[in-house]
Amino acid sequence: MSDHATTTPRRAATRARLLAAAKDVIADRGAGGATVEGIAERAGFTRGAFYSNYASLDELIVDVIREVVETRLAQVRVAATQFAQHREADGLTIHAALEGGVRDFVHLLQPPMQEVLLQSELRLYALRHEGARAGYVAAVRETMTGVYEILETLFASLGVQIRASPEITMDILMGFFDQGSVMSYLELGRVDPDVQVDRLGRLLDVIIDRSPSPG
Amino acid sequence: MSDHATTTPRRAATRARLLAAAKDVIADRGAGGATVEGIAERAGFTRGAFYSNYASLDELIVDVIREVVETRLAQVRVAATQFAQHREADGLTIHAALEGGVRDFVHLLQPPMQEVLLQSELRLYALRHEGARAGYVAAVRETMTGVYEILETLFASLGVQIRASPEITMDILMGFFDQGSVMSYLELGRVDPDVQVDRLGRLLDVIIDRSPSPG
DNA sequence: TGCAGCGGATACACTTCTGTATCGAAACGT
DNA sequence: ACGTTTCGATACAGAAGTGTATCCGCTGCA
């Protein structure tokens, strides 16, 4: 029963451990392969604890989705802030700033394999479960507009123009990122940051109008 | 035992039915949720038939991957041929030809939800199973170069330039397609062809240098 | 410090899936 | 047409997961 009005600290801690365990289990066995037993066990509990906190597996997974998508937006914000400070401090040319920015973003945002698996699983889960769709879509859309705003500000400060609408731009970026990390892991078993920096740089040449580089 | 040198017609038919059943089951329960029992049953067999044809579930799934990825390339080829004929017959302007081409491709290639689910599941399966990776990657790479060649020919015949390298272009396109179909199904529960035509048109404006339209 | 009840463990009665071993019927060659 | 092979069905033993009912120790509060 998750609808307890009163959430004691103990309860909250248990739920947090179950949540973390669920992320692990879903990442390595898939949403379809995740069992109540497996999750409870990985969290160091028995199934009793699970059923005392959630009515069903689905209920927990919905929580996982919310948390994961929110975390992603937060990461982008951090990366953007870091880049902005970095650039301000160094007073770089546009060319150098873009190059450095790409590098920063790749290093800060390249997802570990766990994360790639988890994201893919959750997307699939949402596709299959009507009930999870609305929440998932809302969270993703929020992330997308958030990221776009960040990019817009960054690019504006560099004096470069984005060539497409926000929606198309974000679809391209998100698809490109996914595609890139998945193929990396499939081919190398890891993400090579240099390759990703190069890839993202080339993508940028496509989606923005770079002003004639003064550097 | 799948390593029988002699494959009788009966055997081949059984394997084909199991393959088709596996695609269904994986699409709607996920690779993790697919069981030998479930697949055999959907194919109208008992598990006896399964174990007589495959040593394990993994062996069957590898077959599914090969078949699915090959089918996708074939579909693109059909769409491209159809478009080329269409255009030749009508002697259209570049602008009209691009518009028509986008429409044709969207209508011919928009994947049903089943297919979206299946593709995502198989990609995940390959990520998780070392043994399936090489085959999956090879098949995908082949599809990508195949599609690129088709596009290159089409665009060349229209006198438009692709702005990025083949690799980047294909990464953008594949990611964009995936992203688009998944979000469509998440938000609407279906793919709206008009929306996709519009989206793909806008993407084209980004990835190609359109010569000044004479029409 | 004592006790009410919360929260997690345990027990129980299923169900579902697995892999192997064995059996019988359909398919095939001569 | 008949014997042989092949291939799918069935039977079996066991593993793993499910949800519910019950129990009991810890925690928090007077």
Side-chain angles (χ1 to χ4, degrees):
Chain A
M1 291 97 195
S2 68
D3 50 357
H4 273 281
T6 61
T7 300
T8 68
R10 187 188 180 191
R11 206 169 185 74
T14 301
R15 287 174 72 109
R17 275 169 64 191
L18 286 171
L19 203 80
K23 294 206 289 185
D24 283 1
V25 172
I26 292 172
D28 69 58
R29 307 197 194 190
T35 64
V36 170
E37 181 120 35
I39 292 170
E41 194 176 353
R42 180 152 337 189
F45 293 113
T46 62
R47 283 177 306 119
F50 179 91
Y51 284 110
S52 155
N53 279 279
Y54 292 96
S56 68
L57 196 50
D58 285 3
E59 217 180 86
L60 171 56
I61 293 181
V62 169
D63 271 11
V64 172
I65 290 177
R66 187 177 12 257
E67 209 236 17
V68 165
V69 185
E70 273 164 16
T71 302
R72 180 152 70 167
L73 175 55
Q75 284 173 338
V76 177
R77 285 199 200 288
V78 169
T81 308
Q82 210 153 319
F83 169 64
Q85 289 171 346
H86 180 169
R87 164 167 156 73
E88 231 169 84
D90 297 1
L92 297 167
T93 63
I94 291 176
H95 182 77
L98 278 178
E99 189 121 332
V102 166
R103 206 172 300 278
D104 284 1
F105 271 86
V106 167
H107 282 279
L108 286 163
L109 295 179
Q110 67 178 284
M113 180 128 175
Q114 272 265 326
E115 196 67 22
V116 171
L117 291 170
L118 184 57
Q119 302 262 1
S120 306
E121 285 294 346
L122 294 180
R123 206 176 69 167
L124 264 167
Y125 183 89
L127 274 171
R128 281 215 188 77
H129 297 80
E130 282 274 346
R133 285 189 196 166
Y136 182 86
V137 168
V140 168
R141 283 278 172 235
E142 193 192 341
T143 303
M144 280 175 133
T145 60
V147 171
Y148 187 79
E149 279 164 20
I150 291 168
L151 290 183
E152 201 175 26
T153 308
L154 284 180
F155 285 144
S157 84
L158 296 172
V160 299
Q161 275 277 324
I162 301 178
R163 300 181 69 237
S165 69
E167 296 77 29
I168 297 294
T169 303
M170 286 313 302
D171 275 5
I172 293 175
L173 276 173
M174 304 241 339
F176 191 79
F177 249 91
D178 280 7
Q179 184 71 12
S181 19
V182 170
M183 287 306 281
S184 265
Y185 282 116
L186 282 172
E187 293 185 305
L188 307 178
R190 65 193 171 79
V191 170
D192 180 335
D194 291 341
V195 171
Q196 294 307 312
V197 166
D198 180 65
R199 263 173 44 92
L200 190 52
R202 288 167 190 275
L203 176 67
L204 272 190
D205 284 338
V206 175
I207 66 175
I208 69 179
D209 269 332
R210 207 184 273 238
S211 305
S213 150
Chain B
M1 294 101 193
S2 67
D3 50 356
H4 274 280
T6 61
T7 300
T8 67
R10 189 188 179 191
R11 208 170 184 77
T14 302
R15 286 173 74 109
R17 275 168 66 190
L18 286 171
L19 203 82
K23 294 206 290 186
D24 283 1
V25 172
I26 292 172
D28 70 58
R29 309 197 193 193
T35 64
V36 170
E37 181 120 32
I39 291 170
E41 195 177 354
R42 181 151 337 189
F45 292 113
T46 62
R47 282 177 309 116
F50 179 91
Y51 283 110
S52 155
N53 280 278
Y54 291 96
S56 70
L57 196 50
D58 285 4
E59 219 181 84
L60 171 57
I61 293 181
V62 168
D63 270 12
V64 172
I65 290 176
R66 187 179 10 258
E67 209 237 18
V68 165
V69 185
E70 274 165 14
T71 301
R72 180 153 70 168
L73 174 56
Q75 284 173 339
V76 177
R77 285 200 200 287
V78 168
T81 307
Q82 210 153 318
F83 169 63
Q85 289 172 349
H86 181 168
R87 164 167 157 72
E88 231 169 83
D90 298 2
L92 298 167
T93 63
I94 292 175
H95 181 77
L98 277 178
E99 188 119 333
V102 166
R103 204 172 301 277
D104 284 1
F105 271 86
V106 167
H107 282 279
L108 286 164
L109 295 178
Q110 65 178 287
M113 181 132 176
Q114 270 264 328
E115 197 66 22
V116 172
L117 292 168
L118 184 57
Q119 303 263 359
S120 306
E121 287 293 345
L122 294 180
R123 207 176 68 167
L124 266 166
Y125 183 88
L127 274 170
R128 283 215 187 77
H129 297 79
E130 283 274 346
R133 283 189 197 166
Y136 182 86
V137 168
V140 168
R141 283 280 172 234
E142 192 192 341
T143 303
M144 280 174 133
T145 60
V147 172
Y148 187 79
E149 278 164 22
I150 291 168
L151 290 183
E152 203 176 24
T153 308
L154 284 180
F155 286 145
S157 84
L158 296 172
V160 300
Q161 276 276 324
I162 301 177
R163 300 181 69 237
S165 69
E167 296 76 31
I168 297 295
T169 302
M170 285 314 301
D171 275 5
I172 293 175
L173 275 173
M174 303 241 339
F176 191 79
F177 248 91
D178 280 9
Q179 185 71 12
S181 19
V182 170
M183 288 305 283
S184 264
Y185 282 115
L186 282 171
E187 293 185 304
L188 307 178
R190 65 192 169 81
V191 170
D192 180 335
D194 291 341
V195 171
Q196 294 308 313
V197 166
D198 181 65
R199 262 174 44 92
L200 190 51
R202 288 168 190 277
L203 176 67
L204 272 190
D205 285 338
V206 176
I207 65 175
I208 69 178
D209 268 334
R210 207 184 274 237
S211 306
S213 150

